[in-house]
Amino acid sequence: QLQASGGGLVQSGGSLRLSCEASGFSLQYYTTGWFRQAPGKEREGVSCLSASGATTHYDDSVKGRFTISKNFNNNTIYLQMNSLKPEDTAVYFCAADSRRTSSVLCRDSNGVHYWGKGTLVTVSS
């Protein structure tokens, strides 16, 4: 399973780091990603990372502000979010899948192997 944490309330321009710890399987064999869903909107891919950690994919809306990473030792992925904007407000979810590349996972997350429960990020203006 995946356990996401790190959400909270932050002012515009602030930073947060989300964590997603995997248990029961090793992330070294899985493409992983962060997704978000704002009220009244569809879920969207924010950032995805290849199994090796060598290839990243970012949505245009977060490029230059968010950084995805993986720690193989503690089987955890992270999303460092800087320069947060009110439009980043959403419930953030992590996911892991063994079949897709990072760019594909961010475009199509239907049927992924593992989803974490969401963590709420609220950015005030």
Side-chain angles (χ1 to χ4, degrees), residues 13-28:
S15 298
L16 282 174
R17 188 177 81 154
L18 305 183
S19 300
C20 177
E21 182 177 8
S23 58
F25 67 100
S26 175
L27 287 178
Q28 67 177 315

Side-chain angles (χ1 to χ4, degrees), residues 63-78:
K63 279 181 182 176
R65 300 189 297 123
F66 290 10
T67 303
I68 190 171
S69 62
K70 179 191 289 189
N71 186 316
F72 291 95
N73 291 328
N74 61 18
N75 213 26
T76 300
I77 62 168
Y78 301 95

Side-chain angles (χ1 to χ4, degrees), residues 40-61:
K41 294 188 177 182
E42 292 187 354
R43 186 177 64 210
E44 62 177 357
V46 174
S47 181
C48 294
L49 181 67
S50 64
S52 69
T55 304
T56 57
H57 175 85
Y58 294 96
D59 185 78
D60 286 345
S61 65

Side-chain angles (χ1 to χ4, degrees), residues 9-124:
L9 173 64
V10 64
Q11 288 188 331
S12 181
S15 298
L16 282 174
R17 188 177 81 154
L18 305 183
S19 300
C20 177
E21 182 177 8
S23 58
F25 67 100
S26 175
L27 287 178
Q28 67 177 315
Y29 303 116
Y30 286 78
T31 299
T32 54
W34 288 96
F35 300 79
R36 66 186 179 188
Q37 187 165 20
K41 294 188 177 182
E42 292 187 354
R43 186 177 64 210
E44 62 177 357
V46 174
S47 181
C48 294
L49 181 67
S50 64
S52 69
T55 304
T56 57
H57 175 85
Y58 294 96
D59 185 78
D60 286 345
S61 65
V62 306
K63 279 181 182 176
R65 300 189 297 123
F66 290 10
T67 303
I68 190 171
S69 62
K70 179 191 289 189
N71 186 316
F72 291 95
N73 291 328
N74 61 18
N75 213 26
T76 300
I77 62 168
Y78 301 95
L79 186 67
Q80 178 66 43
M81 305 186 295
N82 298 328
S83 302
L84 283 161
K85 305 175 181 180
E87 51 263 44
D88 294 318
T89 295
V91 178
Y92 284 71
F93 302 87
C94 56
D97 190 82
S98 64
R99 298 160 297 183
R100 286 168 247 212
T101 63
S102 56
S103 59
V104 171
L105 177 61
C106 264
R107 289 200 311 270
D108 177 13
S109 59
N110 290 321
V112 300
H113 284 119
Y114 297 101
W115 280 107
K117 289 186 179 179
T119 184
L120 176 62
V121 172
T122 304
V123 184
S124 63

